Structures are given as C-alpha cells and as structure tokens.
C-alpha cells in the first residue's frame, strides 16, 4: 500500500458543519470553536461563508467571526465566496484566502447557487482575477463528484472537466466533494485518477461526506492513488442545505485516528481535538457524534 507520509487536514466544521444546523450558533460560540481547533494544530480551518444570508442564515456574521478569532501564524482561515459581492465582503473583513464552489451536476448547481455550471464558472472568473491582483489564495470546490441527489450518477470525466476549469482560472487546489456520501472506494479512486490526468495530483483534495459510512474507506482508497489533502469536520458535523440526504462530513477525530494508526503525520493533537468536539457537541446539545470521540471519552 503506497500512502503519503504527511496529510494536510482542512477543517470545514465551522462552515460546512454549522451551515447545516437548524439552530443558529452565535458568533461567540463559532469563535470559541475555531480557537479550539487552532489550538489542536489544524493547519487550515474554514471560518464561514460570505453567501446570501437569505440562502444560508447560519453563516451570517462571518465577518465578525473572522475579526474575533485568534489567528495563528501558519494556519489558513479561508472563507467561502460565491460571487464578487461575497469576495468584496470577505476582503473588507480581512480574509486572506477564499474558496469558490462549483458543481459537477447541473441540477445541484441550480439548487445551490441558482445558476448553471457554465454561468457559475463565468461568475468565478473575475473573482479569481481580483484575488490574483490582491495576492489572495483561491481554493476551488467541485460538488457532487460521486453522485447527485437530483441527477444520480456523475461521470468522472465531468468532474475532471469542471475541476480543470477551476484550476486554470487560478485555484491553487481543487477539493473534490462527495456531497451526499454515496461514493464507494473503487468509484472514488477512478474519479481521482481521471481528474489527476488533467490537474497535478498534489493540487487535489478529498472532501467526503459519511452518509453511507463509506468516507474512511474512500479516503484510504484515494490516498493510495496520491491524495494527501483531506477535508473533515469536527464531530462529523455537516451537510449541505441544498443536497437532500447529505449527512455529516467525515469526522476529523475519525480521520485523525486512522492517520495516526497508519503513522501518517498531521501535526494535530488528538486530546485537544477531542476538547473541540466536546465543546461543539455540548453547544449543540447533542451526544458526541463521532465514533472515535465516543470511544476515547470512555477510556
Ligand atoms: P441569487 O438570489 O441568485 O443572487 O443567489 P442575486 O445576485 O440575484 O442576489 C439576490 C440577493 O442576494 C440580493 O439581495 C443580493 O444583494 C444578495 P437583495 O437585493 O434581494 O436584498 N446577495 C448576497 N448577499 C450576501 N452575500 C453575497 C450575496 N450575493 C448576492 N455573496 C447566491 C445567488 C450565490 C448569492 C446564493 O445562491 C447563495 O448565497 N448561495 C449559497 C449557497 C451555499 O452557501 N451553499 C452551501 C455551500 S456549498 C457546499 O456546502 C458544498 C461544499 O461543502 C462541497 C461539497 O460538500 O460538495 C463546498
Ligand atoms: Mg461539504
């Protein structure tokens, strides 16, 4: 088994997790959560989104979150920006990295950002140009890479095509999102292999949801074909409000446990990560969700 010696973990819980919670989490609690995640050593933490608050009210106040977190040198704090309006707001709030998000499925693109894939890519072009002018890094997401809640199967060629367009536009990294978690290891490998024919493998990341309990198996499979950047979410929080049936992202604790067991370095401290998991679970008033957090809390 050929595996990376180091994995770069991108924590998406404060954004991908909390955007899906019925209850709005206060700015203060979002700040406290991000500070705990920073303390745990995560090298990148998605702070929130500059999207329409009518579409995703949970992410309102991201400017205040960004202003109040303790930013550690060397840690990235990206925010999601769907258009120029969001980008300008992110710049005003002091963001140094943004993420744009397209889909590999037309129906999902319409539901999520109210436009076609082609329109979304045209919308991102001026955003990427402005980002380049200001030396702001742009990460790109492709959603529904292993299936769409509205269209069903999605071909690897389609994923590779959208990913390539985002990369050519200036995204330094493309995160491949199994938004509804229907993928299985063979399909995940095939999708990554096809995409890596068009984009340098080192610029790809895996963003897998765990709806069907396949996420860890899928991550192991894609690490075998060269993936070494993984998105995950504290306490397995997450889901997209515009993807029916999308449950949590793979939990950061579960990913870290697997990587530690494989001897793969991340720079993340399990004990401090568990503290963040307990904190957010308590704030949301629910039991610990990830298997590893539950198991290690009983030891
Ligand atoms: P729209 O309604 O087509 O936009 O929404 P519009 O340009 O017609 O503007 C309508 C109103 O929205 C206007 O306000 C604008 O000012 C406002 P009004 O005049 O009616 O008062 N507006 C904004 N407000 C704040 N920030 C902005 C912004 N843009 C316009 N940036 C839009 C289009 C893209 C804005 C909307 O569809 C939207 O915000 N969508 C975001 C959906 C979202 O956040 N989804 C979750 C993230 S994606 C995801 O989770 C998947 C991922 O995790 C990977 C994976 O798992 O696959 C990344
Ligand atoms: Mg997601």
């Amino acid at each position: 088994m050929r595996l990376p010696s180091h994995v770069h973990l991108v924590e998406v819980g404060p954004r991908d997790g909390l955007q899906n919670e019925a209850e709005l989490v206060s700015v203060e609690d979002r700040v406290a959560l991000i500070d705990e995640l920073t303390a745990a050593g995560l090298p990148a933490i998605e702070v929130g989104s500059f999207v329409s608050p009518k579409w995703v009210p949970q992410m309102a106040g991201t400017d205040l979150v960004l202003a109040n977190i303790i930013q550690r040198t060397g840690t990235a704090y990206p925010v999601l920006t769907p258009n120029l309006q969001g980008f300008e707001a992110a710049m005003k709030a002091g963001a140094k990295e943004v993420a744009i998000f397209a889909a590999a499925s037309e129906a999902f693109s319409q539901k999520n950002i109210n436009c076609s894939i082609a329109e979304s890519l045209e919308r991102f072009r001026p955003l990427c140009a402005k980002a380049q002018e200001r030396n702001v890094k742009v990460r790109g997401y492709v959603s529904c890479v292993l299936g769409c809640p509205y269209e069903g199967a999605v071909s690897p060629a389609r994923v590779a095509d959208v990913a390539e367009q985002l990369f050519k536009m200036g995204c330094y990294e493309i995160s491949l999102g199994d938004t509804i978690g229907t993928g299985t290891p063979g399909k995940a490998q095939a999708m990554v292999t096809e995409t890596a024919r068009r984009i340098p493998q080192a610029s790809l990341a895996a963003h897998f949801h765990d709806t069907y309990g396949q996420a860890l198996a899928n991550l192991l499979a894609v690490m075998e074909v060269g993936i070494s950047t993984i998105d995950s979410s504290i306490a397995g929080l997450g889901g997209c409000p515009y993807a029916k049936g999308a449950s949590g992202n793979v939990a950061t604790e579960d990913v870290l446990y697997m990587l530690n067991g494989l001897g793969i370095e991340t720079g993340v401290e399990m004990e401090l990560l568990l503290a963040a998991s307990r904190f957010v679970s308590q704030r949301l008033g629910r039991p610990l969700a990830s298997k590893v957090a539950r198991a290690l809390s009983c030891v």
Side-chain angles (χ1 to χ4, degrees):
M1 198 161 41
R2 191 177 64 102
L3 292 173
S5 56
H6 180 94
V7 159
H8 185 77
L9 284 176
V10 178
E11 171 61 46
V12 297
R15 192 277 304 170
D16 205 355
L18 298 184
Q19 75 180 10
N20 204 43
E21 289 297 320
E23 185 197 333
L24 301 190
V25 177
S26 69
V27 165
E28 197 187 5
D29 285 344
R30 285 150 68 189
V31 168
L33 171 62
I34 293 166
D35 286 347
E36 294 224 20
L37 294 165
T38 296
L42 283 149
I45 304 167
E46 235 176 36
V47 167
S49 311
F50 288 90
V51 298
S52 162
K54 284 185 194 143
W55 283 65
V56 186
Q58 293 89 337
M59 291 291 103
T62 292
D63 52 343
L64 294 175
V65 177
L66 202 50
N68 286 290
I69 53 175
I70 299 163
Q71 298 202 21
R72 197 176 69 173
T73 310
T75 305
Y77 297 94
V79 292
L80 239 57
T81 54
N83 52 19
L84 269 179
Q85 188 175 337
F87 178 78
E88 293 301 348
M91 292 304 96
K92 212 168 142 202
K96 296 190 180 65
E97 178 171 337
V98 299
I100 56 179
F101 46 110
S105 130
E106 279 299 345
F108 182 73
S109 184
Q110 290 290 353
K111 297 266 186 204
N112 195 37
I113 49 176
N114 206 22
C115 64
S116 68
I117 299 170
E119 282 165 344
S120 74
L121 294 171
E122 282 318 305
R123 205 180 265 180
F124 295 142
R125 233 173 269 287
L127 190 161
C128 284
K130 286 222 159 159
Q132 219 158 17
E133 274 170 27
R134 295 190 198 212
N135 250 339
V136 168
K137 286 174 83 179
V138 184
R139 190 170 200 244
Y141 278 103
V142 183
S143 289
C144 296
V145 298
L146 292 169
C148 166
Y150 310 103
E151 292 180 9
V154 171
S155 77
R158 189 71 187 271
V159 176
D161 184 50
V162 177
E164 185 178 27
Q165 294 195 57
L166 288 173
F167 187 72
K168 284 188 169 160
M169 217 177 269
C171 293
Y172 75 94
E173 183 169 274
I174 309 296
S175 176
L176 301 165
D178 182 12
T179 315
I180 53 171
T182 50
T184 44
K187 286 183 179 157
Q189 265 189 352
M191 180 274 297
V192 164
T193 303
E194 178 68 28
T195 309
R197 288 204 179 99
R198 318 260 284 265
I199 295 172
Q201 204 169 43
S203 302
L204 293 176
H207 176 110
F208 293 164
H209 287 245
D210 201 29
T211 322
Y212 291 80
Q214 302 295 300
L216 286 180
N218 292 345
L219 286 174
L220 187 60
V222 298
M223 282 197 293
E224 281 179 14
V225 292
I227 292 287
S228 59
T229 298
I230 293 177
D231 298 359
S232 62
S233 176
I234 190 73
L237 295 175
C240 176
Y242 299 101
K244 260 188 297 174
S247 69
N249 290 72
V250 66
T252 309
E253 307 90 296
D254 293 353
V255 175
L256 183 64
Y257 185 83
M258 178 175 80
L259 297 177
N260 284 347
L262 289 164
I264 297 174
E265 281 171 34
T266 60
V268 180
E269 282 289 328
M270 181 63 92
E271 276 310 312
L272 295 172
L273 193 64
L274 290 174
S277 180
R278 281 192 293 271
F279 170 80
V280 72
S281 302
Q282 269 163 16
R283 282 293 188 274
L284 294 170
R286 68 174 64 140
L288 292 169
S290 88
K291 284 201 166 62
V292 166
R294 279 203 302 270
L296 291 180
S297 296
C298 298
V299 177

